[in-house]
Amino acid sequence: MSATGLTATIIRQSRAAAANIPPATLEMAGLCVLDWFGLAIRGAQEPVTQWVRDVAMAEGAASAASVVGAGGGFSVRQAALINGVAGHALDYDDVNLAMHVHPTAAILPGLLALAEARGLSGRSVIDAFVVGYEAAGMIGSLISASHYARGFHATGTIGAFGATAASAHLLGLDEEATARAYGLAGSQASGLKAQFGTMAKALHAGRAAEAGVMSALWAQAGVSARTDILEHPRGFAATQSDGLPGGIMPWGSYALDRNLFKYHAACFGTHGALEAIGALRRQGLAPEAARAIRLKVDAGADAMCNIAAPRTGLEAKFSLRFNAALALQGVDTADVATYDDSVVRRPDLEAIRRRTTVELAPAGWPEDVTEVRIETTDGRVLVQRHDVSRPCGDLGGRKVRLRAKCLNLMKPVIGEERAGDLVADLEGFAKREELSALLGSAQVSFSSGGSWSEV
């Protein structure tokens, strides 16, 4: 493996990131774990998760790992896949805008499965998670802009490399074996933005987690692959993006420090509109006073969240116009139940959606900024902007919001008492010597109809 190759450099720098993790970065990793568990427990009820789980159960496997919401009896590969789907099924999970990835849903599930199967500690999972996150951040900073613009869903592609880096670190692979694991991941990484608004999008996260685990395990077993998959002339960057920049970029701060959590259960591309209209509503704007609404967004939103007339609740998550209507009517978009299929048939929301237009901004418009312009019935023009790249509050404030979010997600499934106990356990995740008891406390027994009982 070339000492100066990009793949080798990313491997070394991402592994070095786990050597002395700053306290704030370590706390951010713990928040990612907390957020993911709440989402996975609630997401385990979603039809896509149930059907993927049913297929795995019919397939059968030696019992090695647990699936959140369904207990043990699964292989490491199956657990990574199903838990990856569950964590992304609600489209409510964290994002990193520099890499255009939902990182935790892709990186964490495989680590949990491997750690449970091999009796590894919570801190070893956290360290490996940081390695995977930083690897995805480095790759994303180089290619994600053009890669994402081409139509690839980077959670399934760049996320697969992050999951591979994390799994390889947890297994203790050396640099050469890790580079082969990257090579194996490059032949599995997949995901297309055309699937936004369908169940297939959740599969992108699940398949990324699965690819990460299997790439590391295959490499550990001795399977050969290119060790320069990122920079090879016919490798990942050259074929899936506009290519690499002229030189290898220096990386300094942790990508994990720029992780963003969701507080609306919809595509992150709609959050600027939700926040801006919410601010106008809090200033006194009434729904009936809005004669016309115009949303000005980066042109990239057209391929991400611009479904003009959604037909299902899942499509509504990817509709700027419909989310504008939800915000104006003061509907609670933090509640996953809001995006039920019935929501798209509400006459009041449909009327506002039809009065809403989306303007795709010219080149140079900030990618993360949404501008809302509302013409009122009395002739006023109200303008509000929101930049989604700015996190809401300090780390302590985000922890309070995430704790409330997770409790709200868990309580309808496992009850208030168990939810409170589990959140408390998760807040000590890095101190746990093993994870089987924790994963066991996150279980719900499902029938094929999605009903549940405590186990």
Side-chain angles (χ1 to χ4, degrees), residues 46-402:
E46 290 297 295
V48 62
T49 312
Q50 293 178 36
W51 293 329
V52 171
R53 185 173 61 239
D54 287 348
V55 170
M57 292 175 71
E59 180 182 67
S63 180
S66 300
V67 166
V68 171
F74 298 88
S75 69
V76 168
R77 179 192 68 79
Q78 290 171 333
L81 170 65
I82 301 166
N83 283 337
V85 170
H88 192 49
L90 298 172
D91 222 296
Y92 203 178
D93 46 318
D94 58 5
V95 299
N96 186 295
L97 297 175
M99 57 173 116
H100 298 95
V101 171
H102 295 272
T104 304
I107 297 169
L108 183 62
L111 295 177
L112 294 175
L114 282 173
E116 182 184 10
R118 303 198 175 203
L120 302 177
S121 69
R123 180 54 193 260
S124 67
V125 169
I126 291 291
D127 289 347
F129 177 78
V130 171
V131 171
Y133 199 113
E134 297 311 306
M138 294 175 194
I139 296 168
S141 69
L142 292 169
I143 69 167
S144 73
S146 63
H147 177 70
Y148 197 72
R150 286 184 177 206
F152 291 102
H153 183 204
T155 297
T157 54
I158 294 172
F161 283 103
T164 297
S167 296
H169 187 81
L170 190 65
L171 291 172
L173 301 191
D174 62 21
E175 286 186 14
E176 189 276 337
T178 300
R180 283 189 285 111
Y182 273 51
L184 294 165
S187 288
Q188 298 180 80
S190 62
L192 299 172
K193 286 160 66 178
Q195 301 285 13
F196 285 12
T198 76
M199 294 179 184
K201 185 174 186 284
L203 282 168
H204 296 168
R207 291 285 287 167
E210 178 189 33
V213 163
M214 296 312 300
S215 295
L217 289 172
W218 287 333
Q220 185 180 54
V223 177
S224 67
R226 291 214 63 99
T227 58
D228 58 352
I229 195 64
L230 295 173
E231 68 269 30
H232 189 275
R234 292 176 298 282
F236 191 82
T239 60
Q240 312 300 311
S241 73
D242 292 348
L244 295 166
I248 294 177
M249 296 173 61
W251 291 283
S253 63
Y254 283 77
L256 180 52
D257 292 340
R258 298 183 294 280
N259 190 73
L260 296 169
F261 297 102
K262 283 188 175 185
Y263 302 107
H264 303 282
C267 174
F268 199 69
T270 69
H271 286 209
L274 286 165
E275 291 288 343
I277 295 175
L280 291 173
R281 181 181 169 86
R282 289 190 295 274
Q283 294 167 22
L285 176 65
E288 61 274 13
R291 188 177 67 82
I293 303 169
R294 189 184 71 184
L295 310 176
K296 187 175 183 179
V297 296
D298 174 68
D302 192 40
M304 179 173 59
C305 53
N306 197 20
I307 296 177
R311 298 160 297 175
T312 66
L314 188 53
E315 287 187 349
K317 288 173 178 274
F318 296 88
S319 174
L320 281 160
R321 294 168 175 84
F322 203 87
N323 278 283
L326 290 169
L328 189 59
Q329 285 286 39
V331 179
D332 183 9
T333 51
D335 185 356
V336 297
T338 288
Y339 293 91
D340 183 78
D341 285 351
S342 62
V343 73
V344 299
R345 296 190 292 272
R346 278 183 49 174
D348 59 334
L349 297 174
E350 275 291 277
I352 297 172
R353 178 187 69 77
R354 291 192 180 95
R355 300 200 301 271
T356 303
T357 58
V358 174
E359 176 187 351
L360 301 177
W365 181 265
E367 180 183 10
D368 308 319
V369 172
T370 298
E371 179 183 273
V372 174
R373 183 178 293 267
I374 297 180
E375 298 177 15
T376 66
T377 53
D378 60 3
R380 292 174 296 151
V381 176
L382 307 178
V383 179
Q384 186 78 27
R385 284 190 176 192
H386 186 82
D387 184 348
V388 295
S389 68
R390 298 179 180 178
C392 299
D394 60 13
L395 202 55
R398 278 174 274 174
K399 182 176 181 179
V400 171
R401 292 189 72 178
L402 282 176

Side-chain angles (χ1 to χ4, degrees), residues 371-448:
E371 179 183 273
V372 174
R373 183 178 293 267
I374 297 180
E375 298 177 15
T376 66
T377 53
D378 60 3
R380 292 174 296 151
V381 176
L382 307 178
V383 179
Q384 186 78 27
R385 284 190 176 192
H386 186 82
D387 184 348
V388 295
S389 68
R390 298 179 180 178
C392 299
D394 60 13
L395 202 55
R398 278 174 274 174
K399 182 176 181 179
V400 171
R401 292 189 72 178
L402 282 176
R403 198 176 197 279
K405 172 185 173 182
C406 288
L407 287 170
N408 288 335
L409 286 166
M410 292 178 183
K411 283 190 290 188
V413 183
I414 61 176
E416 185 171 359
E417 183 176 356
R418 284 182 65 197
D421 290 344
L422 181 54
V423 167
D425 286 343
L426 288 167
E427 289 174 337
F429 180 88
K431 297 179 181 179
R432 300 189 72 92
E433 292 300 318
E434 56 82 35
L435 300 179
S436 58
L438 176 65
L439 291 166
S441 68
Q443 303 315 321
V444 173
S445 179
F446 286 87
S447 71
S448 60

